[in-house]
Each structure stands twice: as C-alpha cells, then as structure tokens.
Amino acid sequence: MALSKIDVSKMITGTIGVANGGTGLTAGTADQYLKFTGTTTLASAAVSAGIAGYDRWKLGTSFTGDAQPITSNLSRTAHGEFSKIGTGMSESSGVFTFPETGLWEVGFQAQFYGDANAYGRIQINWSTNSGASYTSSGWADTSSWGQPNGNNGNYRTITSSILNVTNASTFRVRVEAEQQDDSDGSVYGAASDVTFIEFTRLADSQ
Amino acid sequence: MVDINTGRPDHIEDALIKLHKGQWFTWSDVNIKVYANLQLTEKVGIDGDIVDNPVTTLPTEEEVNAKLKELQDAWDAANGG
C-alpha cells in the first residue's frame, strides 16, 4: 500500500541533518537567522542591522589663518533630525577618541571663504599612542580661483580616511585646516553643518 | 558670517576673524553670537602643537564695531557703494 502521508512526529526522532535536507537543529532563537557554520552544519545567528556606529561634529565659529589642529568650537550636530548611532565620539581640545575598536571611516568637509586668489588645505591626522605623535592620512586642497570679477567667494573641499582602530583607548584623531601661501581666506563655522567631521564604523577591526 | 547673497560683512564674527588669525575666540553660547557672549579660547593649534592662546585680551565692543564698519566701508567702496 502506498503511503500518502508521513507523520514525521511519530516516525523520526532527533534531528534531520543538513545532508538529508534538514537543519540539524532542535530550536532557534527569536529574531535570528540561520547561517552555515560548516559545509553541513547550520546555526541560529544574529545579523547586524546596519551601521553600528556613527557620529558627526561641526565647527560652530569661523576663523582666518591656520588651525593645526582645530582645537575649539566643535560640537555634536544638534539639529532635530540627527542622533548619533552607538556611544559616539569623545572630544577634548579637538582631539577625538573612538568609543570602540573597528574599521572606521573619518570624513572631513570644510568650507572656506576668501578672495579670488585664496586656497586652503584640510587634513586628517591619527595617532595610535594617545596623541604622542600623529600620522597624516587624507588631505585635500581647494581654491577660490575663478571667482567672477575678483570677488570673494566660497570654496569647499572634502577628504576621508579609513582607520583600523585596534585599541580604542589609545587611538586618536584630529583635523587641521590651513590657508596656503598665507592667502586671505577663512574657514566657515556655523550653526548648521557647513564644516564638519563625521565618523562611521564600517566593520570590526582588521 | 558675511551676507550670503552679497558677501557684505554684516556680523561681528566677520570683524573678529580679521582682528587675529587662528581660533582665538569662542562663544559662551554658539547660538547667540553677541559681544556679551564673546570669550577667549584656552588653547589653539599651531604647527601641530596645542598651545596656550597667544591672544590674552578681548577687544572692546567699540573696537569690534569699528572693525566691522571698516570692513563694510571697504566692501561698499569696492562694490559701488
């Protein structure tokens, strides 16, 4: 007699392994997913829900000349639609400390204002020894050349660095902005995010 | 900072940034940038070092206003004012 149905609850004990079309599991965990932990094994595992760390700080006050590094007038972006993701960065005299290890992207955007022959440079510097020494990584230049009729105008630049933060307690980041060739420009600070630094945790440290 | 449409200096911060270079000043309330809230910063960044602010005295309100007027007069003269 042919079987039209099999009552697995009465005919099978234990679990059915992956090789036989099963999962090899007796239970899972709420809100987790299955993933292969070997060629024939599955496990219940959590899946990262997007970016785990993000923060943004803005320059609130303008200055002329150089700031190597920028040491003041930095504050966390505070408009109503933003809130940091995770613990957020710590800042003291322009020196930033990371909340946790990881592969972090640090972005720096600056807006300058100056005459028709001004140009500026921004740079990101990092330290692995609590700020005893810094390494430059990521710089960018910008200029106001081309302003019509020799008028003053705005000019902007952006740079970024990917930093492998393996020790959050000793890793530091700071940024600087300078006017090249003593040009008569200024860095624009404002209540909105015109000149700002942002930090994004991309993955675990490498 | 300057009038965004014309570029004409129209705020005391326009004058302050022309009195000294670098980050020599700050505000007790960054959202209310008036002379009464003007303060000196403790530290500035120079050539990779964080050092004491070399500017040790705030300008008077009259000096700030005079500098702003000087900048406005120069802008007006250069723009047919």
Side-chain angles (χ1 to χ4, degrees):
Chain A
M1 182 180 70
L3 292 173
S4 59
K5 295 181 180 177
I6 297 175
D7 186 345
V8 296
S9 68
K10 294 179 178 176
M11 300 184 69
I12 300 173
T13 61
T15 63
I16 301 174
V18 172
N20 292 321
T23 65
L25 300 173
T26 57
T29 303
D31 297 326
Q32 292 193 346
Y33 297 85
L34 289 177
K35 74 171 185 179
F36 282 97
T37 56
T39 55
T40 59
T41 56
L42 283 170
S44 180
V47 174
S48 176
I51 293 170
Y54 180 83
D55 205 357
R56 179 183 280 207
W57 290 64
K58 66 181 173 62
L59 180 72
T61 300
S62 305
F63 62 89
T64 54
D66 305 336
Q68 298 176 293
I70 289 176
T71 57
S72 61
N73 298 318
L74 294 167
S75 61
R76 177 171 285 122
T77 292
H79 65 71
E81 299 304 315
F82 172 78
S83 60
K84 60 187 169 64
I85 300 174
T87 303
M89 301 295 290
S90 301
E91 184 268 342
S92 177
S93 295
V95 178
F96 288 92
T97 304
F98 290 85
E100 60 179 315
T101 61
L103 188 67
W104 287 80
E105 180 176 19
V106 180
F108 180 26
Q109 170 180 299
Q111 179 160 315
F112 292 78
Y113 181 84
D115 63 28
N117 296 311
Y119 69 102
R121 170 174 291 183
I122 62 172
Q123 192 162 286
I124 297 170
N125 298 325
W126 53 273
S127 168
T128 59
N129 54 14
S130 302
S133 60
Y134 281 88
T135 300
S136 297
S137 73
W139 57 269
D141 288 346
T142 181
S143 83
S144 63
W145 294 345
Q147 293 288 340
N149 304 319
N151 290 334
N152 288 5
N154 295 305
Y155 44 108
R156 179 181 304 206
T157 189
I158 301 170
T159 188
S160 69
S161 293
I162 302 295
L163 300 174
N164 186 30
V165 179
T166 57
N167 186 337
S169 65
T170 60
F171 209 100
R172 303 283 188 273
V173 166
R174 65 188 193 185
V175 298
E176 57 185 57
E178 60 182 306
Q179 316 296 328
Q180 296 288 286
D181 290 345
D182 293 324
S183 53
D184 187 28
S186 57
V187 177
Y188 202 107
S192 56
D193 294 1
V194 178
T195 296
F196 63 85
I197 312 155
E198 59 183 351
F199 305 86
T200 308
R201 188 178 188 275
L202 301 174
D204 292 339
S205 56
Q206 298 176 327
Chain B
M1 285 278 284
V2 297
D3 184 293
I4 196 169
N5 296 313
T6 65
R8 186 176 190 267
D10 65 354
H11 192 276
I12 62 170
E13 191 166 295
D14 299 321
L16 292 167
I17 65 173
K18 296 296 186 181
L19 290 175
H20 303 286
K21 290 188 175 182
Q23 293 187 289
W24 65 272
F25 71 94
T26 186
W27 307 96
S28 59
D29 184 342
V30 72
N31 295 310
I32 305 176
K33 294 182 175 180
V34 296
Y35 182 82
N37 290 339
L38 180 64
Q39 297 178 338
L40 294 172
T41 54
E42 291 186 12
K43 302 288 185 181
V44 297
I46 298 176
D47 296 334
D49 294 320
I50 298 175
V51 300
D52 290 341
N53 186 353
V55 179
T56 57
T57 306
L58 281 177
T60 65
E61 188 168 11
E62 290 71 26
E63 289 171 333
V64 176
N65 289 335
K67 185 66 177 179
L68 179 58
K69 185 176 186 307
E70 173 191 324
L71 295 172
Q72 290 175 331
D73 289 347
W75 188 93
D76 290 343
N79 290 275

